[in-house]
Amino acid sequence: MNKSNETKTTTIPESIGNDLLASIVVFLVALPLCMGVAIASGVPVVLGLFTGVIAGIVVGSLAGCPLQVSGPAAGLAVIVYDIVQRFGVEQLGLIVLIAGIAQTIAGSFRLGQWFRAVSPAVIKGMLAGIGVLIFASQFHVMLDSKPTGNAITDIATMPASIQKAFTERGFAKRDQREFRLEHLRIVGKLRREQAEIHHAVVDLLPVLDISEADQAAVALKERLEEKPEKLKSLVSQQQEIAATLADINVIVRGFETETNDKRSQAIIEALTATDEKMGDVVADLNEKNLLESVESQAGVLEAFDVYLASLKNHGLAAQLGLLTIAIIVLWPLLVFKRLKIVPAPLVAIVVVTAVAYFLSLPLVYVDVPTSLLVEIQMPDFGSLWSESFSGLVQAGLVLAAVGSAETLLCATATDQLHTGPRTKYNKELFAQGIGNVCCGMVGALPMTGVIVRSNANINAGGTTRLSAILHGFWLLLFIAVMTPILRLIPTSALAAILVYTGYKLMNPQEVRELKEFGSGEVAIFSITVLTIVGLDLLTGIAAGFALATIKLLYRFSRLRVDLELPTREGLPAALTLSGSATFLGLPMLANGLEDIPEALPVKVEFHKLDYIDHACIDHLQRWAEQHEATGGAVHINWDSLSDKYNEPAPAERTAIGAEVD
């Protein structure tokens, strides 16, 4: 436990100074993690930064756990990635808004404590399963490749990705690196512009609930007549992209033909395919064939992806990823004590970014728009009346449940790190809900409490909620002023941070700790992990809850009846009951009692019994009366047995068995 706040009191100026320093440290910790979690979630990095800002300023002001720092968390990245794949990033804001409303309602109805009623084996299994998913997916991103979206496939393809990365020759000549890096950036920009046109064309199409072709054509014609300038603008933008691609074609062919290696051939082939499909897109837009244009644009976007892949160097990305992890591991071990306050992930990002910049490495870099306001997407409330309504609500409730559990467990862990004010769980849950409502309104990532940032806050001397609030302002200032710097960061470095994070979440030490509480806890943990990895997160959590419930039912239905016959005449037999004696165990109790010979004195022991219900007490009383009627003596301490049943012992029962000591 951190005792820094325990033995001395601080004046208000000292407290502000401590919180100011802590806020800077937390900001430095949060910055790379916000971006990394966004990449793992499959959304632009600025959406993760937006969440960090809201989490600091809004939730920090309202939090029920003042020293906890919230933000986008790796634990939710898996859920968000699945949401984006199913519904698109356009619907993310609405789903996060639903989650925030659910959390706000839960906090208002004082349900915060109930989110703590989760088996530790399920929670640890959930975190380990999330760790496996993050490790498997971000491993491929660290190599500048795309994850498949399936954890089993991602794990299975790791060896091939490693072989590809470490057998790929790097660029020996600086002019090649510089040319292909600039080429990669220009093509990436064209791809983003093409995607924007694709979305704009889709938005132009009317929503048609009619099946007849002529009616559809009429509706489409009316829509085009309503927005002629919009279509004209799109045609102009599309022609500019096509012209730029044609210019690139000439320049690249001249350079790559002279280089003439395998990569050059792959680049030229991918460029040719993209150029050919671009012609179809331009023709469809010029002829106002919007339906055909949507299909042709989807095809050219796929061609752009292949084109970009031919320009990347997976070997260099892998080397930078390994360098990032090495710095994270070694920084706390090698630096002076005073320098350890500087977060290792930040040091790794700075070093790797500098290496990539000065060597002009052709890699994928963080993509940040010129204006961050274009990334703000208000929720599309019209989707609430669509066919996907139930799916959107279900996704929002899953986010709320998992995020709330993670937040409140983090709050409990945060309380163990300091001796200041304890967490007010309902207030914290309500604050998280307000924060997620705000995130939903701008289309940002959902948030939870994050133990890494909370721990950094306390270790850096944070004493009040001011440190969390200020870290949000530092994030806001950074993304407002330092956006160009973000474009210099290789995505492989951010992915490497999450690879390391995933590895830490898979902590095998948890299994050894769970073994101390029995093999049942290990089984719950293992099944939760395997189900999350093999199926999905929600199914895995449900499986863990189900197993924990089954274990609980087994525990309350398990009864053991041990009969020890006397070794010499005159001594009573000992009948020991252990476990829980409920109506489910009544047959076992009856069989044990029937095995006792008639006329034999018996002493019934209850010290190993956890619970007994009315059915078993009634059967035991009737058996005792019958056994005494046949000449046997029975000693049953009904007073002690009533403690297991939580009811006073009847007067007539206390007299039974007085003959046997």
PDB file of all heavy atoms in Angstrom, residues 122 523-524 527-532 535-550:
ATOM      1  N   VAL A 122     -13.929 -15.263 -12.511  1.00  0.00           N
ATOM      2  CA  VAL A 122     -14.529 -14.766 -13.754  1.00  0.00           C
ATOM      3  C   VAL A 122     -13.844 -13.479 -14.192  1.00  0.00           C
ATOM      4  O   VAL A 122     -13.509 -13.300 -15.366  1.00  0.00           O
ATOM      5  CB  VAL A 122     -16.044 -14.529 -13.569  1.00  0.00           C
ATOM      6  CG1 VAL A 122     -16.641 -13.913 -14.826  1.00  0.00           C
ATOM      7  CG2 VAL A 122     -16.751 -15.839 -13.248  1.00  0.00           C
ATOM      8  N   ALA A 523     -10.829 -23.974 -12.887  1.00  0.00           N
ATOM      9  CA  ALA A 523     -11.679 -24.410 -13.997  1.00  0.00           C
ATOM     10  C   ALA A 523     -12.523 -23.249 -14.521  1.00  0.00           C
ATOM     11  O   ALA A 523     -12.657 -23.064 -15.736  1.00  0.00           O
ATOM     12  CB  ALA A 523     -12.576 -25.561 -13.548  1.00  0.00           C
ATOM     13  N   ILE A 524     -13.089 -22.453 -13.608  1.00  0.00           N
ATOM     14  CA  ILE A 524     -13.888 -21.298 -14.019  1.00  0.00           C
ATOM     15  C   ILE A 524     -13.021 -20.322 -14.806  1.00  0.00           C
ATOM     16  O   ILE A 524     -13.419 -19.818 -15.865  1.00  0.00           O
ATOM     17  CB  ILE A 524     -14.507 -20.607 -12.788  1.00  0.00           C
ATOM     18  CG1 ILE A 524     -15.532 -21.525 -12.130  1.00  0.00           C
ATOM     19  CG2 ILE A 524     -15.152 -19.282 -13.173  1.00  0.00           C
ATOM     20  CD1 ILE A 524     -16.046 -21.018 -10.800  1.00  0.00           C
ATOM     21  N   ILE A 527     -12.116 -21.933 -18.368  1.00  0.00           N
ATOM     22  CA  ILE A 527     -13.241 -21.976 -19.302  1.00  0.00           C
ATOM     23  C   ILE A 527     -13.599 -20.571 -19.775  1.00  0.00           C
ATOM     24  O   ILE A 527     -13.914 -20.353 -20.952  1.00  0.00           O
ATOM     25  CB  ILE A 527     -14.467 -22.645 -18.644  1.00  0.00           C
ATOM     26  CG1 ILE A 527     -14.169 -24.119 -18.351  1.00  0.00           C
ATOM     27  CG2 ILE A 527     -15.686 -22.526 -19.543  1.00  0.00           C
ATOM     28  CD1 ILE A 527     -13.878 -24.962 -19.585  1.00  0.00           C
ATOM     29  N   THR A 528     -13.528 -19.595 -18.871  1.00  0.00           N
ATOM     30  CA  THR A 528     -13.806 -18.210 -19.258  1.00  0.00           C
ATOM     31  C   THR A 528     -12.825 -17.744 -20.328  1.00  0.00           C
ATOM     32  O   THR A 528     -13.223 -17.172 -21.353  1.00  0.00           O
ATOM     33  CB  THR A 528     -13.722 -17.276 -18.035  1.00  0.00           C
ATOM     34  OG1 THR A 528     -14.655 -17.712 -17.040  1.00  0.00           O
ATOM     35  CG2 THR A 528     -14.037 -15.846 -18.418  1.00  0.00           C
ATOM     36  N   VAL A 529     -11.545 -18.005 -20.114  1.00  0.00           N
ATOM     37  CA  VAL A 529     -10.515 -17.592 -21.083  1.00  0.00           C
ATOM     38  C   VAL A 529     -10.731 -18.277 -22.425  1.00  0.00           C
ATOM     39  O   VAL A 529     -10.741 -17.639 -23.484  1.00  0.00           O
ATOM     40  CB  VAL A 529      -9.108 -17.903 -20.543  1.00  0.00           C
ATOM     41  CG1 VAL A 529      -8.052 -17.639 -21.625  1.00  0.00           C
ATOM     42  CG2 VAL A 529      -8.805 -17.076 -19.314  1.00  0.00           C
ATOM     43  N   LEU A 530     -10.897 -19.598 -22.402  1.00  0.00           N
ATOM     44  CA  LEU A 530     -11.020 -20.353 -23.649  1.00  0.00           C
ATOM     45  C   LEU A 530     -12.268 -19.953 -24.433  1.00  0.00           C
ATOM     46  O   LEU A 530     -12.239 -19.882 -25.668  1.00  0.00           O
ATOM     47  CB  LEU A 530     -11.048 -21.855 -23.341  1.00  0.00           C
ATOM     48  CG  LEU A 530      -9.740 -22.439 -22.788  1.00  0.00           C
ATOM     49  CD1 LEU A 530      -9.934 -23.901 -22.402  1.00  0.00           C
ATOM     50  CD2 LEU A 530      -8.614 -22.305 -23.807  1.00  0.00           C
ATOM     51  N   THR A 531     -13.355 -19.694 -23.727  1.00  0.00           N
ATOM     52  CA  THR A 531     -14.591 -19.308 -24.417  1.00  0.00           C
ATOM     53  C   THR A 531     -14.468 -17.914 -25.024  1.00  0.00           C
ATOM     54  O   THR A 531     -14.938 -17.665 -26.132  1.00  0.00           O
ATOM     55  CB  THR A 531     -15.788 -19.348 -23.450  1.00  0.00           C
ATOM     56  OG1 THR A 531     -15.803 -20.611 -22.766  1.00  0.00           O
ATOM     57  CG2 THR A 531     -17.096 -19.183 -24.201  1.00  0.00           C
ATOM     58  N   ILE A 532     -13.825 -17.004 -24.301  1.00  0.00           N
ATOM     59  CA  ILE A 532     -13.606 -15.657 -24.842  1.00  0.00           C
ATOM     60  C   ILE A 532     -12.766 -15.718 -26.106  1.00  0.00           C
ATOM     61  O   ILE A 532     -13.078 -15.081 -27.117  1.00  0.00           O
ATOM     62  CB  ILE A 532     -12.934 -14.753 -23.784  1.00  0.00           C
ATOM     63  CG1 ILE A 532     -13.931 -14.390 -22.684  1.00  0.00           C
ATOM     64  CG2 ILE A 532     -12.376 -13.487 -24.426  1.00  0.00           C
ATOM     65  CD1 ILE A 532     -13.312 -13.634 -21.524  1.00  0.00           C
ATOM     66  N   LEU A 535     -14.824 -18.033 -28.849  1.00  0.00           N
ATOM     67  CA  LEU A 535     -16.117 -17.531 -29.327  1.00  0.00           C
ATOM     68  C   LEU A 535     -16.128 -16.008 -29.304  1.00  0.00           C
ATOM     69  O   LEU A 535     -15.788 -15.365 -30.271  1.00  0.00           O
ATOM     70  CB  LEU A 535     -17.247 -18.126 -28.487  1.00  0.00           C
ATOM     71  CG  LEU A 535     -17.377 -19.665 -28.580  1.00  0.00           C
ATOM     72  CD1 LEU A 535     -18.438 -20.185 -27.634  1.00  0.00           C
ATOM     73  CD2 LEU A 535     -17.666 -20.096 -30.013  1.00  0.00           C
ATOM     74  N   ASP A 536     -16.501 -15.429 -28.171  1.00  0.00           N
ATOM     75  CA  ASP A 536     -16.486 -13.974 -28.056  1.00  0.00           C
ATOM     76  C   ASP A 536     -16.510 -13.597 -26.583  1.00  0.00           C
ATOM     77  O   ASP A 536     -16.713 -14.452 -25.707  1.00  0.00           O
ATOM     78  CB  ASP A 536     -17.668 -13.336 -28.791  1.00  0.00           C
ATOM     79  CG  ASP A 536     -19.010 -13.841 -28.296  1.00  0.00           C
ATOM     80  OD1 ASP A 536     -19.392 -13.512 -27.165  1.00  0.00           O
ATOM     81  OD2 ASP A 536     -19.667 -14.587 -29.052  1.00  0.00           O
ATOM     82  N   LEU A 537     -16.314 -12.320 -26.319  1.00  0.00           N
ATOM     83  CA  LEU A 537     -16.176 -11.851 -24.944  1.00  0.00           C
ATOM     84  C   LEU A 537     -17.449 -12.067 -24.133  1.00  0.00           C
ATOM     85  O   LEU A 537     -17.403 -12.573 -23.009  1.00  0.00           O
ATOM     86  CB  LEU A 537     -15.805 -10.368 -24.946  1.00  0.00           C
ATOM     87  CG  LEU A 537     -15.588  -9.720 -23.581  1.00  0.00           C
ATOM     88  CD1 LEU A 537     -14.408 -10.356 -22.867  1.00  0.00           C
ATOM     89  CD2 LEU A 537     -15.356  -8.217 -23.731  1.00  0.00           C
ATOM     90  N   LEU A 538     -18.595 -11.704 -24.688  1.00  0.00           N
ATOM     91  CA  LEU A 538     -19.848 -11.822 -23.949  1.00  0.00           C
ATOM     92  C   LEU A 538     -20.144 -13.276 -23.601  1.00  0.00           C
ATOM     93  O   LEU A 538     -20.528 -13.589 -22.467  1.00  0.00           O
ATOM     94  CB  LEU A 538     -20.997 -11.228 -24.764  1.00  0.00           C
ATOM     95  CG  LEU A 538     -22.375 -11.256 -24.094  1.00  0.00           C
ATOM     96  CD1 LEU A 538     -22.344 -10.493 -22.786  1.00  0.00           C
ATOM     97  CD2 LEU A 538     -23.433 -10.692 -25.024  1.00  0.00           C
ATOM     98  N   THR A 539     -19.959 -14.169 -24.564  1.00  0.00           N
ATOM     99  CA  THR A 539     -20.197 -15.596 -24.303  1.00  0.00           C
ATOM    100  C   THR A 539     -19.254 -16.111 -23.231  1.00  0.00           C
ATOM    101  O   THR A 539     -19.640 -16.909 -22.367  1.00  0.00           O
ATOM    102  CB  THR A 539     -20.025 -16.407 -25.597  1.00  0.00           C
ATOM    103  OG1 THR A 539     -20.890 -15.878 -26.606  1.00  0.00           O
ATOM    104  CG2 THR A 539     -20.353 -17.876 -25.368  1.00  0.00           C
ATOM    105  N   GLY A 540     -18.001 -15.656 -23.277  1.00  0.00           N
ATOM    106  CA  GLY A 540     -17.024 -16.089 -22.272  1.00  0.00           C
ATOM    107  C   GLY A 540     -17.407 -15.652 -20.873  1.00  0.00           C
ATOM    108  O   GLY A 540     -17.315 -16.429 -19.915  1.00  0.00           O
ATOM    109  N   ILE A 541     -17.835 -14.393 -20.747  1.00  0.00           N
ATOM    110  CA  ILE A 541     -18.255 -13.895 -19.430  1.00  0.00           C
ATOM    111  C   ILE A 541     -19.487 -14.655 -18.944  1.00  0.00           C
ATOM    112  O   ILE A 541     -19.575 -15.038 -17.770  1.00  0.00           O
ATOM    113  CB  ILE A 541     -18.541 -12.384 -19.509  1.00  0.00           C
ATOM    114  CG1 ILE A 541     -17.256 -11.618 -19.822  1.00  0.00           C
ATOM    115  CG2 ILE A 541     -19.154 -11.880 -18.210  1.00  0.00           C
ATOM    116  CD1 ILE A 541     -17.471 -10.146 -20.079  1.00  0.00           C
ATOM    117  N   ALA A 542     -20.436 -14.895 -19.859  1.00  0.00           N
ATOM    118  CA  ALA A 542     -21.640 -15.647 -19.493  1.00  0.00           C
ATOM    119  C   ALA A 542     -21.279 -17.059 -19.046  1.00  0.00           C
ATOM    120  O   ALA A 542     -21.842 -17.584 -18.069  1.00  0.00           O
ATOM    121  CB  ALA A 542     -22.598 -15.691 -20.675  1.00  0.00           C
ATOM    122  N   ALA A 543     -20.328 -17.684 -19.757  1.00  0.00           N
ATOM    123  CA  ALA A 543     -19.899 -19.036 -19.378  1.00  0.00           C
ATOM    124  C   ALA A 543     -19.256 -19.024 -17.995  1.00  0.00           C
ATOM    125  O   ALA A 543     -19.489 -19.926 -17.172  1.00  0.00           O
ATOM    126  CB  ALA A 543     -18.915 -19.578 -20.414  1.00  0.00           C
ATOM    127  N   GLY A 544     -18.453 -18.004 -17.711  1.00  0.00           N
ATOM    128  CA  GLY A 544     -17.827 -17.901 -16.394  1.00  0.00           C
ATOM    129  C   GLY A 544     -18.856 -17.734 -15.292  1.00  0.00           C
ATOM    130  O   GLY A 544     -18.775 -18.387 -14.244  1.00  0.00           O
ATOM    131  N   PHE A 545     -19.848 -16.855 -15.517  1.00  0.00           N
ATOM    132  CA  PHE A 545     -20.918 -16.675 -14.536  1.00  0.00           C
ATOM    133  C   PHE A 545     -21.682 -17.980 -14.314  1.00  0.00           C
ATOM    134  O   PHE A 545     -22.021 -18.338 -13.182  1.00  0.00           O
ATOM    135  CB  PHE A 545     -21.891 -15.592 -15.007  1.00  0.00           C
ATOM    136  CG  PHE A 545     -21.499 -14.210 -14.592  1.00  0.00           C
ATOM    137  CD1 PHE A 545     -21.109 -13.275 -15.531  1.00  0.00           C
ATOM    138  CD2 PHE A 545     -21.516 -13.834 -13.260  1.00  0.00           C
ATOM    139  CE1 PHE A 545     -20.748 -11.990 -15.155  1.00  0.00           C
ATOM    140  CE2 PHE A 545     -21.160 -12.555 -12.870  1.00  0.00           C
ATOM    141  CZ  PHE A 545     -20.769 -11.629 -13.822  1.00  0.00           C
ATOM    142  N   ALA A 546     -21.975 -18.675 -15.411  1.00  0.00           N
ATOM    143  CA  ALA A 546     -22.725 -19.932 -15.306  1.00  0.00           C
ATOM    144  C   ALA A 546     -21.953 -20.955 -14.484  1.00  0.00           C
ATOM    145  O   ALA A 546     -22.523 -21.626 -13.602  1.00  0.00           O
ATOM    146  CB  ALA A 546     -23.018 -20.472 -16.704  1.00  0.00           C
ATOM    147  N   LEU A 547     -20.655 -21.088 -14.745  1.00  0.00           N
ATOM    148  CA  LEU A 547     -19.847 -22.048 -13.994  1.00  0.00           C
ATOM    149  C   LEU A 547     -19.746 -21.662 -12.523  1.00  0.00           C
ATOM    150  O   LEU A 547     -19.793 -22.532 -11.640  1.00  0.00           O
ATOM    151  CB  LEU A 547     -18.448 -22.141 -14.610  1.00  0.00           C
ATOM    152  CG  LEU A 547     -18.349 -22.887 -15.943  1.00  0.00           C
ATOM    153  CD1 LEU A 547     -16.941 -22.793 -16.497  1.00  0.00           C
ATOM    154  CD2 LEU A 547     -18.728 -24.353 -15.752  1.00  0.00           C
ATOM    155  N   ALA A 548     -19.600 -20.365 -12.255  1.00  0.00           N
ATOM    156  CA  ALA A 548     -19.530 -19.923 -10.861  1.00  0.00           C
ATOM    157  C   ALA A 548     -20.845 -20.221 -10.143  1.00  0.00           C
ATOM    158  O   ALA A 548     -20.854 -20.622  -8.966  1.00  0.00           O
ATOM    159  CB  ALA A 548     -19.216 -18.424 -10.807  1.00  0.00           C
ATOM    160  N   THR A 549     -21.962 -20.046 -10.849  1.00  0.00           N
ATOM    161  CA  THR A 549     -23.276 -20.351 -10.262  1.00  0.00           C
ATOM    162  C   THR A 549     -23.431 -21.839 -10.012  1.00  0.00           C
ATOM    163  O   THR A 549     -23.929 -22.264  -8.957  1.00  0.00           O
ATOM    164  CB  THR A 549     -24.396 -19.861 -11.194  1.00  0.00           C
ATOM    165  OG1 THR A 549     -24.230 -18.456 -11.435  1.00  0.00           O
ATOM    166  CG2 THR A 549     -25.763 -20.108 -10.582  1.00  0.00           C
ATOM    167  N   ILE A 550     -22.996 -22.645 -10.989  1.00  0.00           N
ATOM    168  CA  ILE A 550     -23.060 -24.106 -10.823  1.00  0.00           C
ATOM    169  C   ILE A 550     -22.217 -24.544  -9.636  1.00  0.00           C
ATOM    170  O   ILE A 550     -22.619 -25.406  -8.843  1.00  0.00           O
ATOM    171  CB  ILE A 550     -22.592 -24.806 -12.117  1.00  0.00           C
ATOM    172  CG1 ILE A 550     -23.615 -24.576 -13.234  1.00  0.00           C
ATOM    173  CG2 ILE A 550     -22.382 -26.294 -11.886  1.00  0.00           C
ATOM    174  CD1 ILE A 550     -23.153 -25.047 -14.590  1.00  0.00           C
TER     175      ILE A 550
END
